[in-house]
Amino acid sequence: MLTTLQRRKLQLRFALLDTDANGYLSQEDYDLVTLRLCAAFGHLPGTADYERVHSAYLKLWEQLRSRMDLDGEGRISLQQFMDGCERMLKEQGSGKVDEHPLAHDPVDLIFEMVDADQDGVIDLVEFTTWMHAYGVGAQDTVEAFDLLDADDDGVLSRPEVEAAAAAFYSSNDPADVGNWLFGPL
C-alpha cells in the first residue's frame, strides 16, 4: 500500500504530466510537453533535436500506457496511475518479473529529453527549462536543483538523477532530497 507521502508525490507527478489538466494522461499531454520543452530549447518541429526529445517522451508515454491503461481507452486516470505505480513498487520490492517490463530506462530518457547539449550532465539551465515546461516556478526549480546536486559541482550527473528518481518513487522519508526531483511537494 502506498504511504501518504508516496501518494502526494505521485499526485504531483500526475498533475505535472497532465499538461492539459483534463484529469487524464494521454499521448496529447506528452506531445504538448514536448512542444513546450522544445520551444524553450529552440528545437523546431522536424529537426533532429525535436525528434529526439519527442521520441523520448513517446517512449515514456508508451511505457505508462502499456502498464496502466488497463481498459484500453488510450488514457490514464489518476487512480489508474496510482494503482500502476503501486504495482510497480511492489514488483520492484519483491523481485517479481513484470509482465510489462520497461523497454527503456527512464533516466536514459530524461537525459535524452533534457541534456540539450548532450554532454552527459544536466546543468541548471537545462533543468530549469525542463521544469518550466511542466509549469514549475523559477525559485522552486533552483531550490530543487541545489538539493539534487549532491556533490555541489553545478550539474546533475546520471547517478544523481538515478538516486533522485529512485527516492522520489520509493522513499518514505519526507526529508529525502529525491522528493524534489519534480519540484516541491
Side-chain angles (χ1 to χ4, degrees):
M1 179 169 225
L2 295 172
T3 66
T4 301
L5 178 60
Q6 287 173 316
R7 292 188 75 72
R8 281 183 40 218
K9 292 188 286 187
L10 293 174
Q11 287 167 343
L12 166 68
R13 187 67 182 126
F14 184 90
L16 292 174
L17 291 170
D18 182 16
T19 54
D20 61 9
N22 70 351
Y24 293 94
L25 303 182
S26 66
Q27 182 174 329
E28 290 76 22
D29 290 308
Y30 285 76
D31 291 338
L32 182 56
V33 80
T34 295
L35 284 170
R36 289 178 184 170
L37 185 61
C38 285
F41 280 125
H43 304 331
L44 298 175
T47 64
D49 286 331
Y50 180 92
E51 293 306 321
R52 174 180 48 81
V53 172
H54 191 235
S55 174
Y57 268 107
L58 290 181
K59 288 173 187 173
L60 283 175
W61 161 247
E62 190 53 36
Q63 286 186 170
L64 281 183
R65 190 205 54 73
S66 70
R67 295 170 147 260
M68 297 178 189
D69 179 21
L70 302 181
D71 57 14
E73 291 183 340
R75 63 186 192 172
I76 300 167
S77 69
L78 176 59
Q79 190 59 55
Q80 289 172 310
F81 182 76
M82 300 294 266
D83 292 347
C85 288
E86 185 173 8
R87 277 192 311 276
M88 289 169 47
L89 288 169
K90 282 180 184 175
E91 290 161 1
Q92 288 172 354
S94 72
K96 177 184 171 193
V97 176
D98 185 7
E99 64 186 76
H100 300 289
L102 294 178
H104 307 282
D105 178 351
V107 173
D108 287 344
L109 295 176
I110 289 171
F111 273 81
E112 283 181 44
M113 295 179 293
V114 181
D115 183 14
D117 58 10
Q118 299 180 351
D119 63 355
V121 294
I122 297 172
D123 62 33
L124 179 58
V125 171
E126 292 166 332
F127 186 77
T128 300
T129 303
W130 182 39
M131 290 295 101
H132 286 192
Y134 287 113
V136 178
Q139 182 176 340
D140 290 334
T141 298
V142 171
E143 186 173 357
F145 185 87
D146 288 343
L147 289 167
L148 297 171
D149 183 15
D151 59 9
D152 293 321
D153 65 352
V155 295
L156 300 180
S157 65
R158 187 170 301 274
E160 287 170 321
V161 174
E162 287 170 349
F168 182 84
Y169 289 102
S170 62
S171 176
N172 292 316
D173 179 0
D176 196 311
V177 298
N179 295 335
W180 281 82
L181 182 58
F182 302 107
L185 295 178

